[in-house]
Amino acid sequence: MNLLKNIFGRVLAVWALLLFVITMLIFFIPIWASGLWPEPKRTSILIAVARIWMGIYLPLVGLRIKIKGRGHFKKNENYIVVCNHNSMIDVPVTTPYIPGVNKTIAKIEMSRIPLFGIIYKRGSVLVDRKNEASRRESMLKMKRVLELGMHMCIYPEGTRNKTDKPLKDFHDGAFRLAIETKKSIIPALIFNTRKVMPAGKLFFLWPAKIEMHFLEPVNISSTDTVQVVREKVFQLMWDYYSSNAY
């Protein structure tokens, strides 16, 4: 049974890759053309296209999406969305399914992939995690994203969680951004992407229902510190994931 699953999972991964490339070529032109507009219109076009793209692509590779908690996003408000990170499939889920226009903090290496790199850069604030100057610049860019009225999506674990725990320890960046901008944080939990693309399996994809749950906003007070907010959000997300994972 495991052998058959491994074979089917790799066949499906090949199908998913081929389909991704084909659909990317179709949607590349409107995404590229979005660069003709200034921000935030540019990213608004990207998100609209990405929603159509992923709305077609994800079901065709066997992935169903359920979203819970959209109502926590209030009209004319923008937020810092902090999300757990278990799989490479997380970004194609978060970008189109976060309500409203949003950008994601992302590692610069992926932006060097031909064609895909252009799409990747359109929806991201890029950072070279090994470069202190790049990290400082990314903070300024994220503040600009928020000033323009967009949401900023951050994975505070930094990299994929390959442990058997609900979450890895959080880095400070998202919470320093919240303290400095006084923007509320919306915790977001993605479920089942670990089963879709297990970290321990090379080139494997398994069909599943993915869920993304948005929790109530965590407001920032004038007395809050980075450590206090980080620990509060971490515990909220840990408890929620532990109670709702299946």
Side-chain angles (χ1 to χ4, degrees), residues 108-109 127-138:
I108 199 168
E109 291 85 352
V127 60
D128 181 349
R129 291 174 295 183
K130 300 176 183 177
N131 186 301
E132 178 62 31
S134 177
R135 292 200 298 270
R136 288 196 300 269
E137 186 180 3
S138 70

Side-chain angles (χ1 to χ4, degrees), residues 10 28 36 138 145 191:
R10 283 167 173 80
F28 177 80
L36 299 173
S138 70
V145 167
F191 298 93

Side-chain angles (χ1 to χ4, degrees), residues 156 169-173 175 185 225-236:
D169 290 341
F170 284 177
H171 295 285
D172 286 346
F175 312 102
I185 294 172
T225 65
V226 170
Q227 181 179 357
V228 166
V229 178
R230 186 190 68 227
E231 291 177 355
K232 180 178 181 179
V233 173
F234 180 89
Q235 197 61 54
L236 282 170

Side-chain angles (χ1 to χ4, degrees), residues 48-117:
V49 174
R51 285 178 180 144
I52 298 170
W53 180 11
M54 290 299 110
I56 295 169
Y57 173 76
L58 293 175
L60 287 177
V61 297
L63 303 180
R64 296 158 292 146
I65 309 294
K66 179 180 178 181
I67 309 297
K68 182 178 178 180
R70 285 192 182 97
H72 295 314
F73 289 80
K74 303 304 181 186
K75 189 176 180 180
N76 299 322
E77 295 285 340
N78 63 324
Y79 302 90
I80 299 167
V81 181
V82 296
C83 188
N84 63 321
H85 193 12
N86 289 328
S87 167
M88 291 179 66
I89 203 73
D90 292 338
V91 175
V93 173
T94 54
T95 297
Y97 290 101
I98 291 174
V101 182
N102 65 91
K103 282 187 179 289
T104 301
I105 187 76
K107 57 185 180 181
I108 199 168
E109 291 85 352
M110 296 286 286
S111 68
R112 301 184 181 119
I113 300 172
L115 292 184
F116 174 74

Side-chain angles (χ1 to χ4, degrees), residues 83 131 141 151-152 167 172 207 216:
C83 188
N131 186 301
K141 289 179 178 179
H151 307 305
M152 190 66 229
L167 299 170
D172 286 346
E216 292 185 9

